[in-house]
Amino acid sequence: MTPSYDDTQIGRARVTDSPELLAYYKELEELDAGALWTVANDIEPWYPRPRSVPAHWPYAKLRPLVHKALPMVAADDAGRRVVMLTNPGRRELSAAVGLLYTGLQIMGPGEAMTAHRHQAAALRFVLEGTGAWTIVDGQKLKVGPRDFAITPNGTWHEHGNESADTPCIWQDGLDIPLVNALDAPFYEVHPELHQTPGEIVNSSLLTYGAHLLPYGAERWTRPYSPLFAYPWEPTYASLRNLARTSEGSPYDGVIMEYISPVTGGSVMPTMSAHIQLLRQGQHTKAHRHTGSVIYTVAKGSGHSVIDGRQYDWAEGDIFCVPSWSWHEHANASDSYDAVLFSFSDFPVMRSLAFHREEAFTDNSGHQPLV
Ligand code: GTQ
């Protein structure tokens, strides 16, 4: 059945205003009440109409501004020294798309910040510098370029950079706008300002990174992955091998999800993360789905067409796809692969049974440019 999008049809609100009705609405307003039919078609649209718009943040333009903050504000004075990316349709929520937040955090050589924890969950994708570390619930992680790490909700965390001379920049992804939309935020500063880390660095990676399930792992009852860091090298090797042995998705190319080794599910209950490879010259077909996605170009260059507009991207660029927006991706190179890191609110969509997906079938699966 082809759905009808006609707001004048029976079953949709189609009341014509009259002086009598307008006076009635005023009376209701004074009681903090209202007539449903005046807003029904807006609050129950036929399909998702996100406030967020597709957006693209080129790293070549952002990077100098991120570096500029380094001498101007002390990291601990700022809380975190972060340039956040705000969607033109979501500024009031500090969201990059939908109910997801993202920003670029820069840490100078030798810097170390105090510990805090909050209701929002966080993830990191490293863009530059080799000295970055973070302590997550007492576990020290060292992360380098293109590594992915998580700071699940409620875990203590403090960050720093042990390099003697080079700043590091990583991308933060948090579900702050979601937590705020649900009126559930909490925030605490560590009572001793710092955690005492265990002696072993990247302990969760040593335990879980060989794909072995520890005795007692079934007692890991927290709703997030016990593995906190996902290094780039094995991730990329895995992607490359999959590219040689499998066709992949027509819409996403060779795509894999970072998972919890205990559940096989998303790394955290509100956000999932993916890594995808576009083969030399590959141009995927368009599809759309519920759920908002923030992409980071981990490697290579190309473009994405989002709702009929082309966005050219290069390494380090960040762009977003709002819920229910058509999107397709293309690798510009005939010699090199391109890799996109992304994170999304898919676990929320799935656990609330909001997930829907549709393929673009006209024009061989490619959107006409508007
Ligand atoms: O590192 O804890 O970009 O709490 C925004 C809020 C980073 C963090 C952000 C945060 C953090």
Side-chain angles (χ1 to χ4, degrees), residues 23-200:
Y24 172 62
Y25 299 154
K26 274 234 149 59
E27 281 187 292
L28 288 175
E29 214 177 297
E30 275 161 29
L31 274 183
D32 290 324
L36 170 64
W37 60 87
T38 61
V39 297
N41 296 350
D42 289 331
I43 67 169
E44 295 188 292
W46 298 101
Y47 51 85
R49 286 202 250 116
R51 298 261 178 90
S52 305
V53 294
H56 169 224
W57 295 271
Y59 196 55
K61 287 192 175 162
L62 270 178
R63 186 177 183 273
L65 287 177
V66 173
H67 275 270
K68 204 169 172 176
L70 196 53
M72 289 197 297
V73 284
D76 249 347
D77 287 348
R80 305 289 187 228
R81 192 192 295 101
V82 179
V83 170
M84 61 178 188
L85 309 186
T86 46
N87 193 285
R90 281 298 209 189
R91 282 211 181 90
E92 71 289 1
L93 302 183
S94 297
V97 67
L99 295 173
L100 296 174
Y101 158 102
T102 200
L104 295 178
Q105 177 158 182
I106 183 163
M107 291 178 285
E111 221 165 39
M113 279 166 280
T114 51
H116 69 206
R117 66 177 175 184
H118 37 66
Q119 189 83 299
L123 54 81
R124 329 278 167 194
F125 186 72
V126 182
L127 293 178
E128 57 180 84
T130 51
W133 55 264
T134 178
I135 305 169
V136 181
D137 262 357
Q139 202 185 118
K140 186 159 188 173
L141 318 176
K142 289 191 187 178
V143 285
R146 302 180 178 127
D147 288 354
F148 166 66
I150 59 169
T151 310
N153 91 320
T155 55
W156 291 112
H157 53 285
E158 59 195 279
H159 317 308
N161 176 2
E162 65 184 19
S163 164
D165 45 29
T166 327
C168 73
I169 297 178
W170 70 34
Q171 180 187 1
D172 291 319
L174 289 94
D175 55 7
I176 290 173
L178 172 72
V179 175
N180 288 342
L182 295 171
D183 286 334
F186 289 93
Y187 189 101
E188 275 174 89
V189 174
H190 195 283
E192 287 154 27
L193 297 183
H194 294 283
Q195 305 163 78
T196 310
E199 269 168 40
I200 300 165

